[in-house]
Amino acid sequence: MDPVIVVGAGPVGLALALALAQQGVPSVVLDESAGGEEPRPARTVVLRADTAALAERLGCATVRDEGTRWTGWRSMRRKQVVRQLALGAAPGDSPADETPAAPLHIPQHALTRGLRDAAGAERLIRVIGESRVDALEQDADGVAVHTRGPKSTWWRGSHVVGCDGARSTVRKLLDVRFPGRTAVERHAVATLRAELPWPDEAVLHRQPPWRAGGEEVTARPLPDDVWRLDWLLPPRGELVTPDTLVARVRGTLAGWCGDTPPYDLLDTGVYTVHHRLARRWRVDRAFLAGDAAHLLGALGAQGLDEGLRDAENLAWKLAHAWHHGASDTLLDSYQTERRASIAGRLRVADQALPALRGGGVLRGRLPGAARGHDSVLTDGHLGQGPLGAPPVYAHSPLAPEPAPSQILVGTPTGAPVADVRVTAPDGTSTRLRDRLGRGQLLVVLVAPGTGVWDRRHWQSAGVMPRLAAAVTALPARAELLVTEEYPGASAHSVLLVRPDGHLVASFAGVRPAELYAAADAARGGERSAVTGDRTADVN
Protein backbone atom coordinates (compact mmCIF):
# COMPACT_ATOMS: atom_id res chain seq x y z
CA MET A 1 0.00 0.00 0.00
CA ASP A 2 1.16 3.55 -0.75
CA PRO A 3 2.69 5.65 2.04
CA VAL A 4 1.04 8.67 3.63
CA ILE A 5 2.35 11.89 2.11
CA VAL A 6 3.18 14.59 4.66
CA VAL A 7 3.73 18.05 3.19
CA GLY A 8 5.97 20.12 5.45
CA ALA A 9 8.96 19.12 7.59
CA GLY A 10 8.38 21.38 10.56
CA PRO A 11 7.66 20.01 14.04
CA VAL A 12 4.06 19.04 13.22
CA GLY A 13 4.87 17.24 9.97
CA LEU A 14 7.81 15.38 11.49
CA ALA A 15 5.79 14.45 14.60
CA LEU A 16 3.01 13.08 12.40
CA ALA A 17 5.45 10.99 10.36
CA LEU A 18 7.04 9.61 13.53
CA ALA A 19 3.67 8.82 15.10
CA LEU A 20 2.64 6.97 11.92
CA ALA A 21 5.92 5.04 11.89
CA GLN A 22 5.37 3.89 15.48
CA GLN A 23 2.13 2.35 14.24
CA GLY A 24 3.72 0.65 11.23
CA VAL A 25 2.71 3.18 8.57
CA PRO A 26 5.30 4.44 6.04
CA SER A 27 5.35 8.11 5.03
CA VAL A 28 7.06 10.49 2.63
CA VAL A 29 7.76 13.93 4.08
CA LEU A 30 8.07 16.62 1.40
CA ASP A 31 10.28 19.44 2.62
CA GLU A 32 10.35 22.69 0.64
CA SER A 33 13.75 23.60 2.10
CA ALA A 34 17.06 21.82 1.63
CA GLY A 35 16.84 20.49 5.19
CA GLY A 36 17.35 21.72 8.72
CA GLU A 37 16.26 24.98 10.30
CA GLU A 38 18.27 28.14 10.89
CA PRO A 39 18.98 28.57 14.63
CA ARG A 40 17.00 31.53 15.99
CA PRO A 41 17.33 31.80 19.78
CA ALA A 42 14.41 34.25 19.88
CA ARG A 43 12.10 31.67 18.37
CA THR A 44 11.15 29.30 21.16
CA VAL A 45 8.16 27.11 21.97
CA VAL A 46 6.43 26.09 25.18
CA LEU A 47 5.18 22.50 25.34
CA ARG A 48 2.59 21.45 27.91
CA ALA A 49 2.90 18.18 29.81
CA ASP A 50 1.02 16.12 27.21
CA THR A 51 2.80 17.47 24.13
CA ALA A 52 6.24 17.32 25.79
CA ALA A 53 5.54 13.68 26.65
CA LEU A 54 4.48 13.07 23.03
CA ALA A 55 7.76 14.54 21.72
CA GLU A 56 9.75 12.31 24.07
CA ARG A 57 7.71 9.25 23.09
CA LEU A 58 8.51 9.99 19.45
CA GLY A 59 12.24 9.85 20.19
CA CYS A 60 13.04 13.58 20.27
CA ALA A 61 16.18 13.62 22.45
CA THR A 62 16.52 17.42 22.44
CA VAL A 63 13.43 17.72 24.63
CA ARG A 64 15.50 16.32 27.50
CA ASP A 65 18.86 17.77 26.48
CA GLU A 66 18.07 21.33 25.35
CA GLY A 67 14.79 22.26 27.01
CA THR A 68 14.05 23.37 30.55
CA ARG A 69 11.05 22.94 32.83
CA TRP A 70 10.07 25.95 34.92
CA THR A 71 10.16 25.43 38.68
CA GLY A 72 7.57 28.12 39.33
CA TRP A 73 5.30 30.83 37.98
CA ARG A 74 5.13 34.39 39.25
CA SER A 75 2.51 36.99 38.25
CA MET A 76 3.14 40.64 39.10
CA ARG A 77 1.13 43.82 38.66
CA ARG A 78 2.87 47.16 39.10
CA LYS A 79 5.08 46.52 42.18
CA GLN A 80 3.07 43.68 43.71
CA VAL A 81 3.24 39.89 43.35
CA VAL A 82 -0.32 38.86 42.49
CA ARG A 83 0.19 35.12 42.28
CA GLN A 84 3.00 32.64 42.82
CA LEU A 85 2.84 28.95 41.96
CA ALA A 86 5.24 26.06 42.40
CA LEU A 87 5.27 23.75 39.38
CA GLY A 88 5.78 20.00 39.27
CA ALA A 89 9.24 18.82 38.30
CA ALA A 90 7.85 16.48 35.66
CA PRO A 91 4.41 15.52 34.34
CA GLY A 92 2.68 12.53 35.82
CA ASP A 93 4.66 12.38 39.08
CA SER A 94 1.43 11.86 40.99
CA PRO A 95 -2.08 11.78 39.49
CA ALA A 96 -3.49 12.94 42.82
CA ASP A 97 -1.05 15.87 43.08
CA GLU A 98 -2.79 19.11 42.13
CA THR A 99 0.48 20.99 41.58
CA PRO A 100 0.43 22.17 37.94
CA ALA A 101 2.85 20.27 35.72
CA ALA A 102 5.76 22.39 34.55
CA PRO A 103 5.70 23.35 30.87
CA LEU A 104 8.81 22.65 28.83
CA HIS A 105 10.53 25.61 27.14
CA ILE A 106 12.82 24.84 24.19
CA PRO A 107 14.20 26.66 21.12
CA GLN A 108 12.10 25.69 18.12
CA HIS A 109 15.14 24.86 16.00
CA ALA A 110 16.30 22.42 18.69
CA LEU A 111 12.90 20.72 18.77
CA THR A 112 12.82 20.48 14.98
CA ARG A 113 16.36 19.09 14.89
CA GLY A 114 15.49 16.44 17.46
CA LEU A 115 12.42 15.35 15.54
CA ARG A 116 14.37 15.37 12.26
CA ASP A 117 17.11 13.20 13.78
CA ALA A 118 14.48 10.75 15.04
CA ALA A 119 12.86 10.66 11.60
CA GLY A 120 16.24 10.07 9.96
CA ALA A 121 16.71 6.96 12.08
CA GLU A 122 13.28 5.57 11.18
CA ARG A 123 13.21 3.22 8.17
CA LEU A 124 9.52 3.92 7.46
CA ILE A 125 10.11 7.66 6.91
CA ARG A 126 11.61 9.32 3.82
CA VAL A 127 12.31 13.06 4.06
CA ILE A 128 12.67 14.60 0.60
CA GLY A 129 14.22 18.08 0.50
CA GLU A 130 13.78 20.86 -2.08
CA SER A 131 10.33 19.57 -2.99
CA ARG A 132 7.72 22.28 -3.38
CA VAL A 133 4.17 21.01 -3.95
CA ASP A 134 2.34 22.59 -6.89
CA ALA A 135 -0.43 20.10 -7.76
CA LEU A 136 -2.67 17.63 -5.93
CA GLU A 137 -5.05 15.06 -7.35
CA GLN A 138 -7.31 12.52 -5.63
CA ASP A 139 -9.18 9.41 -6.68
CA ALA A 140 -11.00 6.58 -4.94
CA ASP A 141 -7.77 4.70 -4.20
CA GLY A 142 -5.36 7.42 -3.14
CA VAL A 143 -3.74 10.76 -3.85
CA ALA A 144 -1.09 12.08 -6.22
CA VAL A 145 1.08 15.07 -5.37
CA HIS A 146 3.40 16.83 -7.82
CA THR A 147 6.52 18.63 -6.64
CA ARG A 148 8.88 20.96 -8.43
CA GLY A 149 12.53 21.33 -7.58
CA PRO A 150 15.77 19.80 -8.80
CA LYS A 151 13.78 16.68 -9.71
CA SER A 152 10.15 17.41 -10.50
CA THR A 153 8.06 14.31 -9.96
CA TRP A 154 4.71 12.89 -8.92
CA TRP A 155 4.29 11.14 -5.56
CA ARG A 156 1.59 8.56 -4.97
CA GLY A 157 0.12 8.11 -1.48
CA SER A 158 -2.81 6.65 0.42
CA HIS A 159 -3.55 10.04 2.03
CA VAL A 160 -1.94 13.48 2.14
CA VAL A 161 -1.63 15.79 5.14
CA GLY A 162 -0.81 19.46 4.73
CA CYS A 163 1.50 20.50 7.59
CA ASP A 164 2.94 23.32 5.51
CA GLY A 165 2.23 26.33 7.68
CA ALA A 166 0.07 29.42 7.64
CA ARG A 167 0.50 29.96 3.88
CA SER A 168 -0.27 26.28 3.19
CA THR A 169 -0.10 25.30 -0.46
CA VAL A 170 -2.12 22.17 0.28
CA ARG A 171 -4.92 24.25 1.78
CA LYS A 172 -4.96 26.48 -1.29
CA LEU A 173 -4.96 23.52 -3.68
CA LEU A 174 -7.94 22.11 -1.77
CA ASP A 175 -9.69 25.49 -2.07
CA VAL A 176 -10.33 25.65 1.68
CA ARG A 177 -11.08 29.07 3.14
CA PHE A 178 -9.03 30.34 6.10
CA PRO A 179 -11.03 33.14 7.76
CA GLY A 180 -10.18 34.89 10.98
CA ARG A 181 -8.63 37.96 12.58
CA THR A 182 -5.39 39.66 11.57
CA ALA A 183 -2.89 41.21 14.00
CA VAL A 184 -4.68 40.23 17.22
CA GLU A 185 -1.50 40.99 19.20
CA ARG A 186 2.02 42.25 18.50
CA HIS A 187 5.07 41.40 20.58
CA ALA A 188 8.71 42.42 20.66
CA VAL A 189 11.01 39.63 21.78
CA ALA A 190 14.61 39.36 22.94
CA THR A 191 16.64 36.34 24.00
CA LEU A 192 19.55 37.12 26.30
CA ARG A 193 21.87 35.59 28.85
CA ALA A 194 21.67 37.23 32.27
CA GLU A 195 21.12 36.51 35.96
CA LEU A 196 17.55 37.46 36.96
CA PRO A 197 16.11 37.39 40.49
CA TRP A 198 13.97 34.31 39.84
CA PRO A 199 16.17 31.42 38.60
CA ASP A 200 14.15 28.90 36.57
CA GLU A 201 10.83 30.69 37.25
CA ALA A 202 8.63 32.19 34.54
CA VAL A 203 7.41 35.73 35.24
CA LEU A 204 4.44 37.68 33.88
CA HIS A 205 4.61 41.38 34.83
CA ARG A 206 1.59 43.52 33.98
CA GLN A 207 1.78 47.32 34.06
CA PRO A 208 5.39 47.41 35.33
CA PRO A 209 6.21 50.71 37.05
CA TRP A 210 9.10 51.68 34.76
CA ARG A 211 8.59 53.61 31.55
CA ALA A 212 10.07 51.11 29.09
CA GLY A 213 7.98 48.17 30.34
CA GLY A 214 4.83 48.85 28.36
CA GLU A 215 1.58 47.13 29.37
CA GLU A 216 3.00 43.64 29.85
CA VAL A 217 6.33 41.82 29.79
CA THR A 218 7.01 38.10 30.18
CA ALA A 219 10.28 36.39 31.09
CA ARG A 220 10.65 32.66 30.44
CA PRO A 221 13.84 30.75 31.32
CA LEU A 222 15.89 28.51 29.06
CA PRO A 223 18.97 26.45 29.99
CA ASP A 224 22.31 28.09 30.89
CA ASP A 225 20.88 31.38 32.29
CA VAL A 226 19.23 32.23 28.96
CA TRP A 227 15.88 34.03 29.05
CA ARG A 228 13.27 34.92 26.48
CA LEU A 229 11.59 38.27 27.16
CA ASP A 230 8.36 39.29 25.40
CA TRP A 231 6.83 42.77 25.49
CA LEU A 232 3.22 43.32 24.45
CA LEU A 233 3.18 46.15 21.91
CA PRO A 234 0.39 48.62 21.21
CA PRO A 235 -1.86 47.32 18.41
CA ARG A 236 -0.79 50.08 16.02
CA GLY A 237 1.83 52.64 15.43
CA GLU A 238 4.93 51.68 17.41
CA LEU A 239 7.95 51.04 15.24
CA VAL A 240 10.41 48.75 17.03
CA THR A 241 13.94 49.76 16.07
CA PRO A 242 17.13 48.14 17.42
CA ASP A 243 17.67 51.16 19.67
CA THR A 244 14.16 51.09 21.15
CA LEU A 245 14.41 47.34 21.74
CA VAL A 246 17.74 47.71 23.56
CA ALA A 247 16.15 50.47 25.65
CA ARG A 248 13.34 48.05 26.57
CA VAL A 249 15.86 45.39 27.53
CA ARG A 250 17.91 47.74 29.71
CA GLY A 251 14.90 49.36 31.33
CA THR A 252 13.22 46.02 32.09
CA LEU A 253 16.36 44.45 33.55
CA ALA A 254 16.97 47.56 35.67
CA GLY A 255 13.36 47.49 36.88
CA TRP A 256 13.71 43.90 38.03
CA CYS A 257 17.28 44.00 39.35
CA GLY A 258 17.68 47.59 40.62
CA ASP A 259 20.44 48.33 38.10
CA THR A 260 20.92 46.92 34.63
CA PRO A 261 22.99 43.76 35.21
CA PRO A 262 25.54 42.44 32.70
CA TYR A 263 23.75 40.68 29.85
CA ASP A 264 24.53 39.10 26.49
CA LEU A 265 21.90 39.85 23.84
CA LEU A 266 21.56 36.74 21.65
CA ASP A 267 18.66 37.48 19.31
CA THR A 268 15.71 39.82 18.84
CA GLY A 269 12.54 39.96 16.80
CA VAL A 270 8.96 41.16 16.43
CA TYR A 271 6.05 38.85 15.80
CA THR A 272 2.35 39.28 15.18
CA VAL A 273 -0.37 36.95 16.42
CA HIS A 274 -3.21 36.08 14.03
CA HIS A 275 -6.32 34.05 14.79
CA ARG A 276 -7.59 31.95 11.88
CA LEU A 277 -9.46 28.68 11.50
CA ALA A 278 -9.76 26.65 8.29
CA ARG A 279 -13.34 25.89 7.25
CA ARG A 280 -12.53 22.25 6.51
CA TRP A 281 -9.75 20.03 7.82
CA ARG A 282 -10.57 17.03 5.66
CA VAL A 283 -11.31 16.89 1.94
CA ASP A 284 -11.68 13.22 0.97
CA ARG A 285 -8.16 11.76 1.41
CA ALA A 286 -6.51 15.11 2.17
CA PHE A 287 -6.15 16.62 5.66
CA LEU A 288 -4.77 19.81 7.22
CA ALA A 289 -2.84 20.05 10.50
CA GLY A 290 -0.94 22.63 12.53
CA ASP A 291 -0.71 26.20 11.22
CA ALA A 292 -2.20 25.08 7.90
CA ALA A 293 -5.46 24.44 9.80
CA HIS A 294 -5.39 27.07 12.55
CA LEU A 295 -3.54 30.08 13.91
CA LEU A 296 -3.79 31.12 17.55
CA GLY A 297 -1.44 32.43 20.19
CA ALA A 298 -2.91 35.41 22.04
CA LEU A 299 -2.98 35.45 25.85
CA GLY A 300 -0.19 32.91 26.20
CA ALA A 301 -1.78 30.13 24.13
CA GLN A 302 0.68 28.09 22.06
CA GLY A 303 -0.05 27.21 18.43
CA LEU A 304 2.60 24.48 18.20
CA ASP A 305 1.09 22.74 21.21
CA GLU A 306 -2.15 22.41 19.27
CA GLY A 307 -0.36 21.31 16.11
CA LEU A 308 1.23 18.41 17.99
CA ARG A 309 -2.19 17.49 19.35
CA ASP A 310 -3.46 17.48 15.75
CA ALA A 311 -0.70 15.04 14.80
CA GLU A 312 -1.43 12.70 17.72
CA ASN A 313 -5.16 12.72 17.02
CA LEU A 314 -4.82 12.11 13.30
CA ALA A 315 -2.00 9.55 13.36
CA TRP A 316 -3.89 6.66 14.95
CA LYS A 317 -6.91 7.22 12.71
CA LEU A 318 -4.80 7.20 9.54
CA ALA A 319 -2.95 4.15 10.85
CA HIS A 320 -6.26 2.33 11.35
CA ALA A 321 -7.32 3.30 7.83
CA TRP A 322 -3.97 2.19 6.38
CA HIS A 323 -3.98 -1.22 8.08
CA HIS A 324 -7.67 -2.09 8.21
CA GLY A 325 -9.65 0.47 6.26
CA ALA A 326 -11.71 3.05 8.13
CA SER A 327 -15.20 4.46 8.11
CA ASP A 328 -15.89 8.08 7.26
CA THR A 329 -17.01 8.41 10.88
CA LEU A 330 -13.47 7.70 12.09
CA LEU A 331 -11.73 9.95 9.56
CA ASP A 332 -14.28 12.76 9.92
CA SER A 333 -13.83 12.66 13.70
CA TYR A 334 -10.41 14.28 13.29
CA GLN A 335 -11.99 17.47 11.98
CA THR A 336 -14.93 17.28 14.38
CA GLU A 337 -12.78 16.88 17.49
CA ARG A 338 -9.82 19.07 16.70
CA ARG A 339 -11.62 21.91 14.95
CA ALA A 340 -14.15 22.20 17.78
CA SER A 341 -11.33 22.28 20.32
CA ILE A 342 -9.47 25.09 18.52
CA ALA A 343 -12.71 27.00 17.89
CA GLY A 344 -13.40 26.89 21.62
CA ARG A 345 -9.97 28.32 22.45
CA LEU A 346 -10.36 31.10 19.89
CA ARG A 347 -13.80 31.92 21.26
CA VAL A 348 -12.44 32.21 24.83
CA ALA A 349 -9.57 34.41 23.67
CA ASP A 350 -11.87 36.68 21.67
CA GLN A 351 -14.16 37.07 24.68
CA ALA A 352 -11.29 37.81 27.08
CA LEU A 353 -9.26 40.17 24.91
CA PRO A 354 -11.51 43.27 25.21
CA ALA A 355 -11.35 43.14 29.02
CA LEU A 356 -7.64 42.31 29.18
CA ARG A 357 -6.37 44.63 26.46
CA GLY A 358 -9.12 47.24 26.19
CA GLY A 359 -7.88 49.47 29.00
CA GLY A 360 -10.15 52.21 30.26
CA VAL A 361 -11.55 53.07 33.66
CA LEU A 362 -13.96 50.16 33.99
CA ARG A 363 -11.25 47.48 33.82
CA GLY A 364 -9.32 48.97 36.71
CA ARG A 365 -12.31 49.58 39.00
CA LEU A 366 -14.12 46.26 38.82
CA PRO A 367 -13.67 44.36 42.11
CA GLY A 368 -11.37 41.41 41.61
CA ALA A 369 -10.80 42.29 37.95
CA ALA A 370 -7.00 42.22 38.17
CA ARG A 371 -6.98 38.82 39.86
CA GLY A 372 -9.45 37.41 37.34
CA HIS A 373 -7.38 38.71 34.45
CA ASP A 374 -4.28 37.18 36.01
CA SER A 375 -6.01 33.79 36.17
CA VAL A 376 -6.91 33.94 32.48
CA LEU A 377 -3.34 34.81 31.49
CA THR A 378 -1.83 32.24 33.84
CA ASP A 379 -4.08 29.54 32.36
CA GLY A 380 -2.92 30.44 28.87
CA HIS A 381 0.76 30.29 29.77
CA LEU A 382 0.64 27.17 31.95
CA GLY A 383 -1.71 25.08 29.81
CA GLN A 384 -4.74 25.17 32.08
CA GLY A 385 -8.38 26.15 31.75
CA PRO A 386 -10.19 26.81 28.47
CA LEU A 387 -7.16 28.55 26.95
CA GLY A 388 -4.62 25.81 27.42
CA ALA A 389 -5.76 22.56 29.03
CA PRO A 390 -5.63 19.37 26.95
CA PRO A 391 -8.86 18.99 24.95
CA VAL A 392 -11.86 16.98 26.08
CA TYR A 393 -13.74 15.28 23.24
CA ALA A 394 -17.00 14.93 25.16
CA HIS A 395 -19.16 15.20 22.03
CA SER A 396 -17.01 13.12 19.72
CA PRO A 397 -18.71 10.99 17.05
CA LEU A 398 -16.54 8.18 18.44
CA ALA A 399 -18.21 8.32 21.85
CA PRO A 400 -20.29 5.22 22.68
CA GLU A 401 -23.95 5.41 23.60
CA PRO A 402 -24.59 5.37 27.37
CA ALA A 403 -24.74 1.86 28.81
CA PRO A 404 -26.17 0.62 32.14
CA SER A 405 -22.86 -0.17 33.80
CA GLN A 406 -20.94 2.93 32.75
CA ILE A 407 -19.59 4.86 35.72
CA LEU A 408 -17.91 8.18 36.40
CA VAL A 409 -14.25 8.30 37.42
CA GLY A 410 -11.85 11.16 38.09
CA THR A 411 -11.35 11.65 34.35
CA PRO A 412 -14.33 12.98 32.36
CA THR A 413 -15.30 10.90 29.33
CA GLY A 414 -13.35 12.17 26.33
CA ALA A 415 -10.55 13.70 28.44
CA PRO A 416 -6.92 12.51 28.59
CA VAL A 417 -6.47 9.77 31.18
CA ALA A 418 -4.32 10.20 34.28
CA ASP A 419 -0.76 8.95 33.86
CA VAL A 420 -0.93 6.19 36.49
CA ARG A 421 1.56 3.37 36.80
CA VAL A 422 0.35 0.19 35.06
CA THR A 423 1.42 -3.42 34.68
CA ALA A 424 1.13 -5.31 31.40
CA PRO A 425 0.27 -9.05 31.30
CA ASP A 426 3.94 -9.81 30.64
CA GLY A 427 4.83 -8.24 33.99
CA THR A 428 6.26 -5.00 32.60
CA SER A 429 5.66 -2.03 34.90
CA THR A 430 5.49 1.38 33.28
CA ARG A 431 3.43 4.53 33.08
CA LEU A 432 0.15 4.53 31.20
CA ARG A 433 1.32 7.35 28.93
CA ASP A 434 4.19 5.15 27.71
CA ARG A 435 1.67 2.65 26.25
CA LEU A 436 0.04 5.25 24.02
CA GLY A 437 0.66 5.81 20.32
CA ARG A 438 0.82 2.15 19.29
CA GLY A 439 -2.40 2.10 17.30
CA GLN A 440 -4.28 -0.02 19.80
CA LEU A 441 -6.96 0.51 22.41
CA LEU A 442 -6.00 0.16 26.06
CA VAL A 443 -8.18 -1.65 28.59
CA VAL A 444 -7.20 -0.80 32.17
CA LEU A 445 -8.41 -2.81 35.16
CA VAL A 446 -8.26 -1.15 38.58
CA ALA A 447 -7.14 -3.92 40.93
CA PRO A 448 -5.78 -2.79 44.33
CA GLY A 449 -3.14 -5.06 45.78
CA THR A 450 -1.85 -6.53 42.57
CA GLY A 451 1.49 -4.81 43.05
CA VAL A 452 2.37 -6.96 46.05
CA TRP A 453 1.39 -10.29 44.47
CA ASP A 454 3.31 -12.34 41.98
CA ARG A 455 1.85 -11.82 38.52
CA ARG A 456 1.12 -15.53 38.14
CA HIS A 457 -1.37 -15.33 41.02
CA TRP A 458 -3.51 -12.36 40.00
CA GLN A 459 -3.37 -13.07 36.25
CA SER A 460 -5.47 -16.20 36.72
CA ALA A 461 -7.58 -14.97 39.65
CA GLY A 462 -10.80 -13.02 40.10
CA VAL A 463 -12.10 -11.14 37.06
CA MET A 464 -8.85 -11.29 35.06
CA PRO A 465 -9.61 -14.41 32.97
CA ARG A 466 -13.04 -13.07 31.93
CA LEU A 467 -11.63 -9.64 31.17
CA ALA A 468 -8.74 -11.09 29.15
CA ALA A 469 -11.21 -13.11 27.09
CA ALA A 470 -13.36 -10.00 26.53
CA VAL A 471 -10.34 -7.97 25.39
CA THR A 472 -9.32 -10.72 22.94
CA ALA A 473 -12.81 -10.63 21.42
CA LEU A 474 -12.90 -6.84 20.83
CA PRO A 475 -13.40 -5.60 17.24
CA ALA A 476 -10.11 -3.68 17.36
CA ARG A 477 -6.66 -4.59 18.67
CA ALA A 478 -6.33 -3.83 22.38
CA GLU A 479 -3.86 -4.25 25.23
CA LEU A 480 -4.92 -5.24 28.74
CA LEU A 481 -3.25 -3.34 31.58
CA VAL A 482 -3.67 -3.41 35.36
CA THR A 483 -3.28 -0.54 37.82
CA GLU A 484 -3.42 -0.49 41.59
CA GLU A 485 -5.40 2.76 41.67
CA TYR A 486 -6.95 5.34 39.43
CA PRO A 487 -8.37 8.72 40.55
CA GLY A 488 -12.07 8.40 41.38
CA ALA A 489 -12.29 4.71 40.44
CA SER A 490 -13.23 1.87 42.74
CA ALA A 491 -11.85 -1.67 42.70
CA HIS A 492 -12.64 -3.70 39.55
CA SER A 493 -13.46 -0.62 37.48
CA VAL A 494 -12.56 -1.11 33.81
CA LEU A 495 -11.42 1.81 31.64
CA LEU A 496 -11.35 1.83 27.84
CA VAL A 497 -8.75 4.25 26.45
CA ARG A 498 -8.14 5.43 22.87
CA PRO A 499 -4.67 5.11 21.28
CA ASP A 500 -4.16 8.85 21.85
CA GLY A 501 -4.92 8.58 25.56
CA HIS A 502 -8.49 9.90 25.72
CA LEU A 503 -11.02 8.03 27.85
CA VAL A 504 -13.72 6.25 25.83
CA ALA A 505 -15.75 4.86 28.74
CA SER A 506 -15.42 3.36 32.21
CA PHE A 507 -17.42 0.43 33.56
CA ALA A 508 -18.26 -1.11 36.89
CA GLY A 509 -16.77 -4.57 36.52
CA VAL A 510 -16.28 -6.76 33.48
CA ARG A 511 -19.04 -6.14 30.92
CA PRO A 512 -17.98 -7.83 27.67
CA ALA A 513 -20.91 -6.70 25.52
CA GLU A 514 -20.74 -3.07 26.65
CA LEU A 515 -16.97 -3.05 26.32
CA TYR A 516 -17.32 -4.44 22.79
CA ALA A 517 -19.86 -1.75 21.83
CA ALA A 518 -17.64 1.02 23.21
CA ALA A 519 -14.60 -0.31 21.34
CA ASP A 520 -16.63 -0.52 18.14
CA ALA A 521 -17.74 3.09 18.56
CA ALA A 522 -14.16 4.21 19.24
CA ARG A 523 -13.00 2.79 15.90
CA GLY A 524 -15.84 4.54 14.07
CA GLY A 525 -18.14 1.51 13.81
CA GLU A 526 -21.87 1.43 14.32
CA ARG A 527 -22.86 2.76 17.71
CA SER A 528 -25.53 0.82 19.56
CA ALA A 529 -26.80 0.92 23.09
CA VAL A 530 -26.38 -2.32 25.00
CA THR A 531 -29.22 -3.32 27.27
CA GLY A 532 -28.72 -4.67 30.73
CA ASP A 533 -30.34 -7.95 29.67
CA ARG A 534 -27.89 -8.43 26.82
CA THR A 535 -24.95 -7.73 29.12
CA ALA A 536 -26.22 -10.25 31.60
CA ASP A 537 -26.56 -12.87 28.88
CA VAL A 538 -22.96 -12.41 27.73
CA ASN A 539 -21.60 -12.53 31.25
Side-chain angles (χ1 to χ4, degrees), residues 5 47 56 209 211 247 250 280 305 399 403 414 430 489 492 499:
I5 298 175
L47 301 182
E56 283 198 66
R211 184 176 180 183
R250 296 182 63 83
R280 301 177 66 185
D305 237 14
T430 183
H492 295 167

Side-chain angles (χ1 to χ4, degrees), residues 369-388:
R371 189 167 297 276
H373 297 164
D374 170 73
S375 295
V376 171
L377 289 167
T378 298
D379 284 349
H381 283 280
L382 295 184
Q384 299 176 311
L387 272 178

